[in-house]
Structures are given as structure tokens and as C-alpha cells.
Amino acid sequence: MQLFKENQIKIYNSLTGQKEIFKPINDSHVGMYVCGPTVYSNVHLGNVRTFMSFDMVFRYLKHLGYKVRYVRNITDAGHLENDADAGEDKITKKARLEQIEPMEVVQRYTVDFHNILNTFNFLPPSIEPTATGHIIEQIELINTIINNGFAYEVNGSVYFDVHKFDETNEYGKLSKRKLEDLIHNTRELDGQSDKKNPQDFALWKKAEPQHIMRWPSPWSDGFPGWHLECTAMSTKYLGEQFDIHGGGMDLKFPHHECEIAQNEAAKGKSPVNYWMHANMLELNGQRMSKTTGNTINPGELLSGDNDKMSKAYAPGVIRFFMAQSSYRSVLDLTDDGLLASEKGFNRLMDAIHVLDSLKASKTSSIDINAWKQSCYNAMNDDFNSPILIANLFEGVKYINQIKEGTETLNTEDLSLLKQTINAFVFDVLGLENATKTEAGTDKLSSAVDILIKLRQDARANKDFALSDKIRDELAEAGIQLKDGKDGTTFSLS
């Protein structure tokens, strides 16, 4: 179903600093590139938040009926420490410290990356290219940039001439930085003597004798620059111009700025129509940092094996927590926030469980079409997941009102309510139904049903002490009993 024909999306474009109506280059097709991880360590939660944001964008575009080619790369070479042009490759350093081959490092942490994303129910990208798999394309791109007069070779390394480029183009237009300001704020550093100017960045680096990861090129045995990789891979699979380029806010400068410059220098055109940047994730009101100890990784958050949170949290709860904030907002990860999200997540799942048992009436007292459109309006407004979730809880209210008999829906409207809730909760937000995914749920239900029966017997025998004890101890175990006119039900709190 081509829902995109009736849903006009507005995207906040980092390049222009405003929301713009989304018009794909090819009517029903979307090309989207997102900068993937450098696989030298376990994926951190900030990365998970970024990739989760674009997983949601991917999901919504697919839901609307677009044919989406989503490319997310793996950086497995060329990314030097501190995002610099000199120093040690992050992967090579890890290999040296652990005394293993660099590609063992790559394999180990690529597997970890995929496992974590699978745990959080990410859809896989359409294509996941690696930097080492595209060395030839990168060498060809460097040759083109040299031939166009925007790069130069010195002692086996090739650098992009930022000053020459800025004479006819605008370097810094994405990050809103002026070259003269960058010049003023740059100090000379050791090891930069090969460059014409400190602002120039490496397209190819000659490998030192001890550098393991190296490939032959017209200039030297060496390795590509980090910025070059994404330019080569994005344009190979999406064309010289494509629709959406995403990544974390920390990549806007210099990484994405350099991508634009490389592309314009090679192809003479701006590569991307809509630049999207996900904002940062904080922990307890402060920047995450390994040096200060203010950090937590996904595995620790999922297992509860940490000193930052009071308990372990399920993947769906964490995903729900992240969706409650706009992708463009700084998100503060706190125990209180996760506890609140857990309650909201369980309320939502409980309502969906109830929804399956609701009976239709002859008439409708709720305008479900208007409510459905409000859900689409939220996502059409720059993928506003917090407003979508607020609308979904309006749907939860409807479900409870229908259950209690204060509102009614006819067969058609009840079906539309079910379709819409399921589409946005599971297909778009990517949440998984706890009742379907938690191991042993059926056995848990049976056990709780037995306790509910024992409690009912105790109340019938006027043994209120036992009745209260069953209720209170279940509550301590995170199982809430609710007495209603149709009997006693339970929910996980």
C-alpha cells in the first residue's frame, strides 16, 4: 500500500537548519545512508540510540510503502585515534593490546554489534558494506579528486586541499563553520608538516613499517582516510546524489563536512538532499565518559550488572524509553526514567492484550479515523515519536473505555483501532510484545492464575490475611493484581 501518497513528511535538514518537505529523488524509492560503527570495541549505548533512531526512520518509510535502500557501513580500517590524520589506527591498537590479528578484532566486535542490535529488534540494513571491501573504489575516488585539482600527494600520503576547495565551494556549510575561523583556531601540531595547511585532511596515508593494515596504491602501501570511506560506499550503492544521510551529532564535523567536500570535489555536486543528525545520550545528567567512569554499556543495562541502575531492563523497555524523546534532543538515561518507561511499556502491552478480546458494538462513539490521522501526523512531523506515543496512549484510554462499556466501536472502527495500534507499536516503533517474546510467559500465567484462585478461595472463607498476603507478595515480585467486575486480572509492573 502506497501510504506515502497521502502522507507528506517533513524532515529537519541539518544543512539548512529547518524542516523541509521530503521529496525523494525517485518518486517511490528512498536512498538512505547512515554511518556505522568503527568495530574496535563493544558498541556503546550512544551508538545504539543513533542507530535506533534511524531504524525507526527506516521502519516508517517502509510502512508508508517506500522502497528503501538503507546502507549502513562497517568501518574496519583507517579510523585513527581522536579522529586525527596522524597516530594509530583504532583497530590496530586494539589488536596490539590484545595480541591478536586486526581482523580478529573486526570480527569479534562486528558480531557484538549485530548481536546487540538484534537484541533491540533492529531491522538489518539493505546493504552493510565494509571499508576494507572497497579499497579499489576509494583509490579511484582519490585519483578523481587529484585530477580535479583538489588534492595533493606528499611522501606517499594524499591530502585534501581544503583551501583550494574553499575558493570555489563552501567548506563548513553543514557545521556552519567558516574556514577563516578554523584557521584562526588551529595550532600547529607535530606530524602535520606534510600538509600544506593544518585544515587539510588525509585521503590516503602511507603506512609506517609497523602498520599491519595496508594496501597497495599509486602513492604508497597504505590505508584510506576515514572520511573517504563513507563517500565511496554511499555513492557506490546510492548514486552520486541520494535522499538521506544520517549519523550522530558528533559526526557533523569533521566527518560529514569532509564527505560533502570530497563529493563536490569529485562529482561537482552536493551528494545528499537531507542531512539528519541524532543527538547525544547522557547518563544521569552528565556526558558519558570512560575516563570519569560515567558510562554503562548495553549488556550491563540489560543484565543489571552495573552500579548505575537499580535493576535490569528488558530490551523493549529501553527501546520504548529512547522513543519517548525526539531523535534531535539530548536524552538523559536515568533509573527513574527507565522505571517510568517500564510502567508505560507494560500499560501499552496490557492494553494490546485486552484489545484482542474486545467486542464490537453496532455504533461508534469515538472518531477513530481522526485518532489514526493524529498518529500519522506525529511521524510525518520529523518522525516525532514522543507525540506518536502520546497518541498511542490516547488509544489505550479508548481500549479501557470500550472494555468498561463507557465507549463503543463498531466492527469496522474496532478493526481500524487494532490495525493502527499494531502498525505503530510493532512495525514503526519496533517494540516487541512482551507476551509473545518473554520465555515462559504461558507458564507464568498459569501459575498466577492458580494463586488468583487460591486468593479467591481465601476471600470466600473470610481468610483476608492470606488473601492480602498473596496479593502483596505478588506485588513485591512485580505482578500487580486488579480486581474488576469480570474477575481478577494481573499485569507485570
Side-chain angles (χ1 to χ4, degrees), residues 474-487:
L474 282 173
E476 284 184 21
I479 300 169
Q480 300 289 336
L481 297 185
K482 185 176 181 180
D483 297 317
K485 61 181 182 182
D486 296 324

Side-chain angles (χ1 to χ4, degrees), residues 437-457:
T437 59
E438 291 182 4
T441 296
D442 290 340
K443 292 179 181 178
L444 173 65
S445 297
S446 298
V448 175
D449 286 343
I450 291 169
L451 290 170
I452 289 173
K453 178 68 167 60
L454 290 173
R455 179 170 173 262
Q456 289 170 340
D457 291 344

Side-chain angles (χ1 to χ4, degrees), residues 254-484:
H255 186 55
H256 291 161
E257 200 71 75
C258 293
E259 279 193 63
I260 292 174
Q262 289 165 163
N263 227 297
E264 292 184 353
K267 312 293 185 182
K269 59 183 75 170
S270 187
V272 179
N273 287 345
Y274 304 88
W275 284 91
M276 296 179 65
H277 290 93
N279 217 321
M280 311 307 290
L281 182 68
E282 293 182 344
L283 178 60
N284 294 323
Q286 297 181 334
R287 185 173 179 268
M288 283 201 191
S289 169
K290 288 183 181 178
T291 55
T292 63
N294 191 52
T295 185
I296 184 171
N297 68 39
E300 292 168 338
L301 189 58
L302 291 164
S303 68
D305 185 18
N306 64 82
D307 59 0
K308 303 292 190 300
M309 303 296 163
S310 62
K311 54 176 285 187
Y313 290 98
V317 170
I318 298 168
R319 182 163 186 135
F320 183 68
F321 169 79
M322 291 186 176
Q324 286 182 291
S325 178
S326 165
Y327 76 91
R328 289 197 291 121
S329 300
V330 174
L331 177 58
D332 188 15
L333 183 72
T334 66
D335 195 44
D336 287 345
L338 284 165
L339 286 169
S341 287
E342 186 175 55
K343 290 179 180 177
F345 176 82
N346 288 331
R347 270 185 64 210
L348 187 59
M349 292 303 165
D350 287 344
I352 290 170
H353 181 68
V354 169
L355 182 57
D356 290 334
S357 63
L358 292 183
K359 299 291 188 290
S361 300
K362 292 182 179 180
T363 60
S364 295
S365 59
I366 304 169
D367 188 346
I368 289 297
N369 277 296
W371 169 79
K372 171 188 171 183
Q373 191 56 50
S374 71
C375 294
Y376 279 100
N377 291 345
M379 288 303 289
N380 292 341
D381 183 18
D382 196 32
F383 310 99
N384 198 327
S385 56
I387 299 299
L388 169 64
I389 289 171
N391 289 326
L392 290 174
F393 277 109
E394 187 72 11
V396 169
K397 184 181 78 173
Y398 296 153
I399 292 168
N400 292 329
Q401 289 172 336
I402 296 164
K403 178 186 175 185
E404 292 163 5
T406 58
E407 300 285 359
T408 60
L409 286 181
N410 63 28
T411 301
E412 183 180 348
D413 286 342
L414 182 59
S415 176
L416 184 61
L417 175 62
K418 290 180 180 179
Q419 289 172 11
T420 305
I421 287 247
N422 281 292
F424 280 102
V425 170
F426 303 126
D427 298 344
V428 175
L429 291 180
L431 302 177
E432 289 187 287
N433 193 334
T435 61
K436 293 179 180 177
T437 59
E438 291 182 4
T441 296
D442 290 340
K443 292 179 181 178
L444 173 65
S445 297
S446 298
V448 175
D449 286 343
I450 291 169
L451 290 170
I452 289 173
K453 178 68 167 60
L454 290 173
R455 179 170 173 262
Q456 289 170 340
D457 291 344
R459 294 172 76 179
N461 295 326
K462 300 191 183 305
D463 189 350
F464 298 114
L466 177 58
S467 168
D468 291 346
K469 181 179 174 63
I470 292 172
R471 181 199 63 205
D472 294 343
E473 292 197 6
L474 282 173
E476 284 184 21
I479 300 169
Q480 300 289 336
L481 297 185
K482 185 176 181 180
D483 297 317

